[in-house]
Each structure stands twice: as structure tokens, then as C-alpha cells.
Amino acid sequence: MNLSYYFKHGLTFILILGSSILLGTLFIIGVYFLPVSPMKENVARSSAIFDYEGVYPQLVQGYKSSQLDNCTDAIMLGTAIYPGKGEGYIERAILGERIEYNSENPVQSLNDYVNNVAGKAELEQISGYARYWHGYLLFLKPLLIFFDYGDIRYLNMFLQFIILTWLCLIIISKNRQRMMIPFICFFFVLNPMVLMLSLQYTSVYYIMLISVIIILKKDDWLVSKKGGYFLLFEIIGMATSYFDFLTYPAITLGIPLTIAILLDSRNKVDGKIFKVIKLSLSWGLGYAGMWCGKWLVSSILLHRNFFADAIEQIFLRTSMETEG
């Protein structure tokens, strides 16, 4: 392939990344215009769920694989309903803040906040993760206007069932029945009940399922369009960075990549190895580029250095040390 080929697709890659960062910024700012009062009321209606289940309930006692992450779900809900302290919509969307109370875990803090428990004002503190996009708010905020936490869990359950059924029907229609057994085993290893009940684990799961559906239905088209697979995996990586709250992002690379290789009857072993490297690179660049895009946008809009905090956290989380 000549140099113009790489230049053309490299330019397309950069344009897609830049456009996605811009649209992602506009979307996340847009949902902050939604009224938070009905959201807070619906979360208050959900207090009994958190009171009963606690922070890290196990659906089957003694099995960590059945453990729900109510702690992070509470952080997500708290971020969705926090109206801010007078700053503009742009700053609220960029900072992604929430209310917590000293010496309380996020679940208890959320319940105290939505129920306006007296005597908590002096313990109040504002927390946030500005280094993340918090893209899940694009769905969570609108849903909370109409539904409480329990309702959203049920909706999540039905939607996951529909998409998984659709995926299985596509596999059968493509005469790829041999994929069914390993895929179903993989699904149960993830523990479907945990995926349905913990919002924290939902985002990357949907991205993975939708990516696999696209690959199964459009494999021939992606191959015929030179660079089609490369750009698809860039988009998958960007979507993961945008919507995920740092759970298990590699699943959106590993499973779609496995399906793409299984469908590839055109390349021999060396060609497939090159394909794995190329698509992994595309996913990684899309993921890292989108994440860095949040730091860049935040630094420009709020005139603060968000790169410093992000890099500090990267070194902390990849070191052998811990806080406290």
C-alpha cells in the first residue's frame, strides 16, 4: 500500500476522533440542562433498595462473582442529580460533581442527600471525577426524570435480554452455530444477573454486544471498504472511553476482535496476527485519544490543567502503592 493510503485513513481517523470529542462535549453539556428535581425525587424513592442491599451485596452469599457494585451506582446517581453550586452548565458538565458526607460511604451519602437528612450541612463535601467523560449520563439523566433506580434495573434487564436474543438469532442466521456454546459460556461467566442489576457494569456490555452485532451483519462490507475495520475499532474504543466509568473496558476489544478473526477466511495465520495488532492499535488510539480529549476540552473551557490530575492518577493506579 502506498503512502497516500495511510495518509488518507490517518486523516479520516483524526477527523472522526476530533468530531467525536466535539459531539461528546456538546451532548454531555446538553443533558445538564435537564431538570434535576424529578431525578432527585426518583432517586429518593429508591432509598429502600440501598437500605436493604447495602454497599456491595452478593446475590449468592460467598460468591464474589455475584457481587453488585451499589457503591459505584450510588456515585453515578449522585452525579446525575447534583445541580451544582451556582456554576454554569458547562462547568457542571465538565466537573461531574456530586455531594458526599465525611465518613460516609457513597451509598449512605446518596440516601442522606436525596432525603434531606437534617444536621448534615457541616459534613457536606463536593466530590467528582472530572477526568472521566461520564457519558452514561446521556441515558441515566433522562431515565431518572421518569423512573427510579428499581425501574431502570428492570428496563436494563429487558433490554439486555432483547439484544442478546437478537445477537443469538443473527449467529444462527449466519450459520455460525459453533459460536453459540462458547458465547453462552462467556455470557454466564460474566454473570447475567449482575450485569442486569448493576448500572456500573452495563455500559461496556452494551458496547460489546452492539459491536459484535455490527461485525456479524456487516463483515463483508467492512472488508470491502478499505480501512473499514480499522475505523470501526477506533469508534468502539472511543465509545468505551466515553461511556465507561472504568470497569472492564478490554471486553469491547477482546470479544469483537475474536469474532472478527473467526469470520476472517481470507487471511492466513500471519495475516490474522497482523489484523489483531492493527485493530488493537486502532481501538487503543481511539480509547486513549477520546480520554485525552476530555482533559483537553476541560483545560480549554475551564482554564485549568486537567492533565496533571489525570497523569497523577495514572501513575498512582499503575504503581505498587496505595492511598491512606
Side-chain angles (χ1 to χ4, degrees):
M1 296 181 184
N2 56 39
L3 190 61
S4 62
Y5 171 87
Y6 290 104
F7 178 80
K8 175 184 175 183
H9 287 285
L11 182 60
T12 304
F13 187 101
I14 293 171
L15 288 174
I16 291 175
L17 178 60
S19 300
S20 299
I21 292 171
L22 176 60
L23 288 174
T25 303
L26 294 175
F27 285 144
I28 203 67
I29 293 173
V31 293
Y32 269 82
F33 281 88
L34 297 175
V36 296
S37 295
M39 300 180 199
K40 187 175 179 180
E41 291 174 6
N42 276 319
V43 175
R45 288 172 52 199
S46 311
S47 298
I49 296 175
F50 289 112
D51 285 337
Y52 176 75
E53 293 181 351
V55 183
Y56 292 111
Q58 293 180 355
L59 299 176
V60 181
Q61 289 300 315
Y63 285 82
K64 289 283 285 185
S65 62
S66 71
Q67 181 170 290
L68 305 182
D69 190 357
N70 286 358
C71 180
T72 309
D73 278 12
I75 292 174
M76 294 165 68
L77 292 169
T79 304
I81 64 174
Y82 180 57
K85 288 290 187 181
E87 67 268 19
Y89 291 106
I90 292 177
E91 188 171 355
R92 296 179 202 175
I94 294 298
L95 295 179
E97 293 177 330
R98 66 188 184 280
I99 291 294
E100 286 191 352
Y101 301 103
N102 289 330
S103 75
E104 289 188 354
N105 64 61
V107 171
Q108 189 60 53
S109 289
L110 179 68
N111 275 2
D112 288 348
Y113 175 64
V114 296
N115 290 296
N116 301 310
V117 174
K120 292 288 184 177
E122 66 276 8
L123 301 175
E124 183 176 298
Q125 62 181 19
I126 299 175
S127 301
Y129 294 104
R131 59 185 177 274
Y132 298 112
W133 278 102
H134 297 282
Y136 58 84
L137 293 176
L138 267 62
F139 302 100
L140 185 56
K141 274 179 167 287
L143 285 171
L144 283 173
I145 293 176
F146 305 101
F147 306 107
D148 64 24
Y149 182 55
D151 298 331
I152 294 173
R153 278 178 160 182
Y154 263 101
L155 289 172
N156 197 31
M157 189 181 303
F158 288 126
L159 184 58
Q160 287 189 19
F161 176 77
I162 290 170
I163 294 178
L164 186 64
T165 302
W166 183 26
L167 175 55
C168 290
L169 292 174
I170 292 172
I171 291 174
I172 294 171
S173 70
K174 297 291 183 178
N175 294 318
R176 296 284 179 172
Q177 288 86 342
R178 288 184 298 176
M179 289 184 182
M180 290 292 292
I181 293 177
F183 189 81
I184 290 173
C185 290
F186 155 77
F187 173 69
F188 280 106
V189 166
L190 285 178
N191 198 324
M193 288 306 298
V194 173
L195 292 171
M196 293 172 183
L197 296 177
S198 279
L199 304 182
Q200 159 75 335
Y201 301 132
T202 296
S203 298
V204 295
Y205 182 63
Y206 281 126
I207 294 170
M208 181 273 294
L209 288 178
I210 294 170
S211 300
V212 170
I213 288 172
I214 292 172
I215 290 171
L216 284 169
K217 291 184 70 66
K218 299 295 182 180
D219 175 63
D220 292 335
W221 182 83
L222 290 167
V223 171
S224 66
K225 296 290 182 181
K226 295 297 182 180
Y229 259 114
F230 189 80
L231 296 176
L232 172 63
F233 272 78
E234 177 200 8
I235 294 170
I236 296 172
M238 290 188 302
T240 304
S241 179
Y242 188 76
F243 290 103
D244 182 36
F245 199 15
L246 203 58
T247 54
Y248 51 119
I251 195 175
T252 67
L253 169 63
I255 304 305
L257 185 56
T258 300
I259 300 299
I261 296 301
L262 288 173
L263 294 178
D264 187 357
S265 59
R266 307 164 187 84
N267 288 310
K268 295 183 179 180
V269 174
D270 56 342
K272 290 181 179 180
I273 292 174
F274 177 73
K275 187 172 184 177
V276 168
I277 296 171
K278 182 177 70 174
L279 298 186
S280 298
L281 177 64
S282 177
W283 183 95
L285 290 173
Y287 182 87
M290 192 68 183
W291 205 355
C292 290
K294 173 63 193 301
W295 312 339
L296 178 62
V297 167
S298 302
S299 299
I300 292 173
L301 293 179
L302 300 187
H303 307 290
R304 290 162 51 183
N305 185 3
F306 283 86
F307 283 88
D309 171 63
I311 292 171
E312 178 184 348
Q313 289 297 319
I314 289 172
F315 279 118
L316 174 65
R317 293 174 181 272
T318 56
S319 71
M320 298 295 288
E321 300 178 359
T322 184
E323 293 178 307

